[in-house]
Amino acid sequence: MCIPAVAAAALVAAGTTAVSVVANNQAAKAANKALNQQNIARKKEIDRAATAEINDRLREMRREQARIVVAAGESGLSLNSTSVEALLLDSMMQAELANDTSLANRESRKLASDAETQSRMQAKTTLLGAGLQIGLAGGSAALGASGRQRAATNAGN
């Protein structure tokens, strides 16, 4: 029986599997890094959109309040009258509620982005898993080579 041939087959299979595991882990690491960078960029865009939405709403609130003040002045109402103050407060309250909704939506979108990124992450092989894969590949190759040698020896008899 030729033990060096069996050992060589086991070493080649184990080495090939080890290279494959390392390459797969490096590819997973690179893919995960790219996913994280995309997530960071997506969350920055979410922040920018929410900020723009809030700023637009605040500008609109100021315009609306200016219209209320002008209309009150044109109709001869005092700016301190209850109805004018109520309209100005209502305008401010509506803008604040809409801004709170925008902030809540922003946080929800960011959480969804994080969840999507996590679901797309690629798993890397652990040290134990790599050892088991390498050992099984080497053992399988050794058994196969040993079986072929026995078959060849038996065929020669």
Side-chain angles (χ1 to χ4, degrees):
M1 185 176 222
C2 185
I3 298 296
V6 173
L11 284 175
V12 168
T16 302
T17 302
V19 168
S20 173
V21 167
V22 169
N24 288 341
N25 277 350
Q26 288 175 342
K29 183 178 177 182
N32 292 346
K33 183 177 178 182
L35 286 170
N36 281 327
Q37 289 173 341
Q38 288 173 347
N39 189 34
I40 289 168
R42 190 170 34 241
K43 287 179 4 180
K44 283 181 183 178
E45 180 57 34
I46 290 168
D47 285 339
R48 280 192 293 271
T51 300
E53 190 175 303
I54 289 170
N55 287 337
D56 289 345
R57 196 166 292 119
L58 290 174
R59 272 192 292 280
E60 182 58 35
M61 177 199 67
R62 287 189 292 274
R63 281 188 212 109
E64 181 180 6
Q65 288 183 341
R67 283 190 296 270
I68 292 169
V69 169
V70 168
E74 288 176 349
S75 64
L77 292 174
S78 168
L79 294 179
N80 294 332
S81 74
T82 315
S83 59
V84 173
E85 283 183 0
L87 288 171
L88 292 172
L89 283 174
D90 182 59
S91 174
M92 190 182 329
M93 177 85 62
Q94 293 302 320
E96 188 175 329
L97 289 172
N99 289 343
D100 289 345
T101 301
S102 291
L103 292 174
N105 286 340
R106 179 191 70 180
E107 291 307 312
S108 176
R109 284 186 229 124
K110 288 170 86 172
L111 288 173
S113 178
D114 287 340
E116 180 185 344
T117 298
Q118 284 299 320
S119 72
R120 296 175 63 198
M121 288 285 188
Q122 295 181 8
K124 293 190 282 185
T125 304
T126 63
L127 191 57
L128 175 63
L132 289 172
Q133 285 180 9
I134 293 166
L136 287 172
S140 176
L143 284 174
S146 176
R148 283 189 297 276
Q149 280 184 345
R150 262 190 251 122
T153 304
N154 289 343
N157 284 343

